[in-house]
Amino acid sequence: MLDFFTIFSKGGIVLWCFQGTGVTESFTGPVNALIRSVILQERSGNNSYTHDALSLKYKLDNEFELVFVVGFQKILTLTYVDKFIDDVQLHFRDRYKNELEQKGARTLLSSCFAFEDDFKMLLCEAEESSKARGPTSMRSFNASLKSQKTVKSMIETKGGDKGKEQGGKKNKNAKKEGKELHILIKSCLVVQGMQLSSMKGDLLAVDYESSEEEEEDVVEKVVVADTSKQIPKRGAYGGMFGMLKGLVGSKSLSQEDMEPVLDKMRDHLIAKNVAAEIASQLCDSVAKKLEGKVMGTFTTVASTVKGALQDSLVQILQPKRRVDILRDVLEARSQRRPFVITFCGVNGVGKSTNLAKISFWLIENGFTVLIAACDTFRAGAVEQLRTHQRRLNSLHPPQDDRGRPVVQLYEKGYGKDAAGIAMEAIAYARNQDFDVVLVDTAGRMQDNTPLMTALAKLIAVNMPDLVLFVGEALVGNEAVDQLVKFNQALADHSISDKPRLIDGIVLTKFDTIDDKVGAAISMTYITGQPIVFVGTGQTYNDLRSLNARAVVGALMKA
């Protein structure tokens, strides 16, 4: 039933593995995909992962830095896998601990770890228990709770309404207390704004200033205030000894220890504009990453959880692959073809404006640009791009650039096929030796099926080098819906087996959100793609690259 089971350290050393009967394919491909896409990307909140025809389940042992992975065909429904992987972990870690103490790390890693008999015994027990349970039979009506209901029990009484009102008042008071606590935390922190410098050819990074010491002090104060309300257990230390016991790393972290801190962190992320679903997944991932880990000396649960969450957020914002447009344009120029970038997104997010900013940045770096006006729906779209073209050419007169305009506009008016215009523009740019083609598309809502089909056709026919999604930094939960449906539409309407999806993100209106930078986390978490550009104003040089650590610092401010 199982295709494989492997146990390896977080350093990448395979300690033991099992391969099912008749399985010839190696399990290194699925396991490497799991490591790259889930474990390294801090997406371990869910313990399952699908790779081609295989379904993988995994468990992390943070105390001994071990990873347990089991793989089986996804068409199978194996109900015993979760309990089985827990049992294997408990048995293996006991053996691993004993042999580590007896032989030492170097001798243990160089020798073969004998676990075959124990594994087969546990697998047989798990399969037998699954067969013994069997399918559950449906209850009869008389055995259900519905049969015990009477007409009288379904009639609302005045007393019931009163109780409901009292319950509502209680919830309202609880919300009020939570709000007061949030205001108290917020009043303790000093929020400092962004400091941005002007762009001169090269792209600068968005930066924030933060006082990390003050943030840590406030978190510690909140934790102390919360723990002081708990009823002390029998035999607990008091005074100075109790404080030292809370600080010294004397035990491993459990889910119960982290739950109060993670709840506060989750609410904090949602308040900073992170989508609620993403905030929950991030906190679950941090909990799995820390569960069973032994705390360091003189560290608190709050500081440990906060540090792990910060590391996870930085890892998410740092791209899996580097998008270096200047290098890619030079490579395309050596192949005597233009580098094509397509912009897509919903209405009113600033696609045309940021296209003009990117044009200015490319011109400053010595490239010629052709703008393809493929927004054939919105009135004034072509005229807007023509105005940008005229202003950009006035900043870089033709006599300074070999006698021809550095920016040209390719347009065919309104009501035409956008995919055909883009194809003609790319052919024109190839003949006229333009370095870059920027394709402006019509804004469309993610639920508009005809327009999403037209966008998928444009991308599938012209195969641009880069597909950039333009989104606002103001959105919260809506960012998840937009990106999921844009990617889904591109996949559904593609004619290729490997559809072309979104390659990167342009985050606009970043100067209007202060420190509520959660949309950056939501977008990168959903797509796994980097934020390539950040729009920070209304002028052509208000374009920045993303500084992951600075954004995370702003996100963790209260």
Side-chain angles (χ1 to χ4, degrees):
M1 291 285 238
L2 299 182
D3 281 33
F4 69 87
F5 196 110
T6 180
I7 305 170
F8 56 93
S9 69
K10 289 186 178 179
I13 301 172
V14 178
L15 301 173
W16 184 84
C17 63
F18 160 83
Q19 201 149 5
T21 307
V23 179
T24 56
E25 295 182 2
S26 173
F27 58 83
T28 55
V31 172
N32 285 335
L34 170 71
I35 294 170
R36 284 194 303 267
S37 303
V38 179
I39 297 175
L40 292 181
Q41 292 296 314
E42 302 293 344
R43 299 169 190 266
S44 53
N46 187 8
N47 69 334
S48 60
Y49 174 72
T50 302
H51 179 78
D52 294 337
L54 287 177
S55 180
L56 277 66
K57 285 189 175 287
Y58 63 94
K59 187 173 181 65
L60 305 178
D61 189 320
N62 296 303
E63 184 176 354
F64 293 99
E65 301 289 322
L66 301 176
V67 183
F68 299 78
V69 182
V70 59
F72 53 92
Q73 296 295 320
K74 66 180 179 182
I75 60 173
L76 301 176
T77 305
L78 304 181
T79 56
Y80 62 84
V81 170
D82 290 324
K83 184 178 183 304
F84 173 62
I85 199 170
D86 289 339
D87 293 340
V88 171
Q89 182 213 8
L90 292 174
H91 278 73
F92 185 87
R93 59 176 284 154
D94 291 341
R95 291 276 304 276
Y96 182 74
K97 181 181 178 181
N98 293 334
E99 296 201 16
L100 196 64
E101 291 174 349
Q102 293 172 7
K103 299 180 181 179
R106 183 173 297 180
T107 308
L108 177 63
L109 294 176
S110 60
S111 61
C112 183
F113 198 92
F115 190 65
E116 189 81 18
D117 296 335
D118 291 351
F119 178 81
K120 288 183 177 179
M121 179 193 69
L122 293 171
L123 182 58
C124 289
E125 289 178 358
E127 290 177 346
E128 289 298 325
S129 64
S130 177
K131 291 177 184 177
R133 280 199 299 268
T136 57
S137 59
M138 187 180 294
R139 290 182 300 170
S140 64
F141 178 75
N142 293 328
S144 66
L145 294 175
K146 287 185 178 180
S147 63
Q148 301 174 12
K149 285 188 176 181
T150 61
V151 176
K152 184 178 179 181
S153 66
M154 291 186 281
I155 298 174
E156 292 186 0
T157 60
K158 291 183 179 180
D161 293 341
K162 188 176 180 183
K164 191 181 288 185
E165 289 173 5
Q166 289 174 352
K169 287 180 182 178
K170 185 178 179 181
N171 292 336
K172 198 175 288 184
N173 292 333
K175 288 181 181 177
K176 188 176 179 183
E177 290 177 4
K179 190 174 181 182
E180 289 175 356
L181 178 61
H182 177 69
I183 293 170
L184 178 65
I185 298 170
K186 193 169 183 179
S187 64
C188 296
L189 294 178
V190 179
V191 181
Q192 299 178 358
M194 291 184 292
Q195 290 189 350
L196 302 173
S197 56
S198 61
M199 179 180 65
K200 295 181 181 179
D202 294 331
L203 208 58
L204 302 178
V206 175
D207 200 6
Y208 287 84
E209 289 184 359
S210 62
S211 176
E212 296 182 358
E213 294 180 0
E214 291 180 2
E215 293 169 15
E216 291 177 1
D217 290 343
V218 172
V219 172
E220 299 306 325
K221 288 176 186 175
V222 173
V223 172
V224 170
D226 289 342
T227 53
S228 63
K229 294 178 183 177
Q230 298 176 358
I231 300 172
K233 296 180 181 179
R234 189 175 180 181
Y237 294 98
M240 181 61 111
F241 292 102
M243 185 183 71
L244 289 174
K245 186 171 183 264
L247 289 173
V248 177
S250 57
K251 70 183 187 74
S252 59
L253 284 171
S254 65
Q255 187 72 32
E256 290 75 17
D257 297 330
M258 296 182 286
E259 191 170 353
V261 183
L262 286 173
D263 287 343
K264 288 186 177 64
M265 292 291 182
R266 186 181 295 108
D267 295 340
H268 176 77
L269 291 176
I270 294 172
K272 288 298 182 77
N273 230 11
V274 179
E277 181 184 355
I278 306 299
S280 298
Q281 291 178 12
L282 282 169
C283 291
D284 292 343
S285 176
V286 169
K288 287 202 171 185
K289 182 180 176 181
L290 293 178
E291 189 174 8
K293 188 174 182 179
V294 178
M295 291 174 58
T297 307
F298 291 99
T299 57
T300 61
V301 176
S303 61
T304 305
V305 171
K306 184 185 175 185
L309 183 60
Q310 281 181 325
D311 293 341
S312 298
L313 293 173
V314 170
Q315 187 66 38
I316 288 167
L317 286 175
Q318 288 176 341
K320 291 186 289 186
R321 60 182 183 85
R322 179 172 173 78
V323 178
D324 192 339
I325 293 178
L326 298 181
R327 180 198 61 193
D328 294 340
V329 173
L330 289 172
E331 185 179 347
R333 181 196 276 177
S334 66
Q335 300 171 3
R336 296 187 176 277
R337 67 174 184 86
F339 185 82
V340 183
I341 305 176
T342 299
F343 295 82
C344 61
V346 300
N347 308 76
V349 294
K351 289 184 297 298
S352 301
T353 303
N354 283 276
L355 181 146
K357 293 179 183 180
I358 294 169
S359 299
F360 177 75
W361 174 64
L362 290 168
I363 295 165
E364 289 284 298
N365 285 278
F367 299 114
T368 54
V369 178
L370 179 67
I371 300 174
C374 296
D375 184 354
T376 60
F377 295 94
R378 179 170 64 89
V382 176
E383 288 75 13
Q384 181 184 6
L385 291 176
R386 188 176 290 116
T387 302
H388 283 306
Q389 177 215 3
R390 187 173 63 250
R391 290 181 176 176
L392 289 169
N393 282 326
S394 67
L395 294 172
H396 297 82
Q399 57 268 22
D400 297 343
D401 295 279
R402 295 174 292 176
R404 77 166 186 175
V406 290
V407 182
Q408 290 188 32
L409 177 67
Y410 190 92
E411 54 96 4
K412 292 291 183 180
Y414 296 98
K416 306 293 177 58
D417 180 36
I421 296 174
M423 182 181 291
E424 293 175 11
I426 294 169
Y428 178 80
R430 187 181 293 109
N431 294 332
Q432 298 296 322
D433 293 330
F434 279 92
D435 298 318
V436 185
V437 178
L438 302 180
V439 181
D440 183 37
T441 62
R444 63 206 76 207
M445 295 305 294
Q446 62 269 25
D447 299 318
N448 192 326
T449 304
L451 287 181
M452 294 304 297
T453 305
L455 176 65
K457 175 189 171 185
L458 185 149
I459 293 173
V461 169
N462 294 286
M463 291 303 293
D465 297 284
L466 198 63
V467 179
L468 295 181
F469 177 85
V470 184
E472 286 182 332
L474 302 168
V475 296
N477 292 315
E478 185 69 11
V480 177
D481 189 51
Q482 289 175 5
L483 280 163
V484 167
K485 288 187 176 177
F486 262 80
N487 264 337
Q488 189 64 46
L490 294 178
D492 290 344
H493 301 103
S494 175
I495 57 177
S496 173
D497 294 335
K498 293 184 177 180
R500 186 65 183 280
L501 304 180
I502 291 168
D503 299 317
I505 299 164
V506 180
L507 201 58
T508 66
K509 305 178 185 178
F510 209 69
D511 54 319
T512 64
I513 57 171
D514 193 27
D515 59 348
K516 289 182 171 57
V517 294
I521 299 292
S522 301
M523 290 182 177
T524 50
Y525 191 90
I526 284 295
T527 60
Q529 302 300 337
I531 294 176
V532 185
F533 298 107
V534 176
T536 59
Q538 298 296 319
T539 61
Y540 288 136
N541 60 354
D542 287 330
L543 194 69
R544 300 289 182 269
S545 62
L546 192 75
N547 185 336
R549 294 195 176 276
V551 170
V552 171
L555 189 67
M556 297 304 291
K557 289 181 186 177

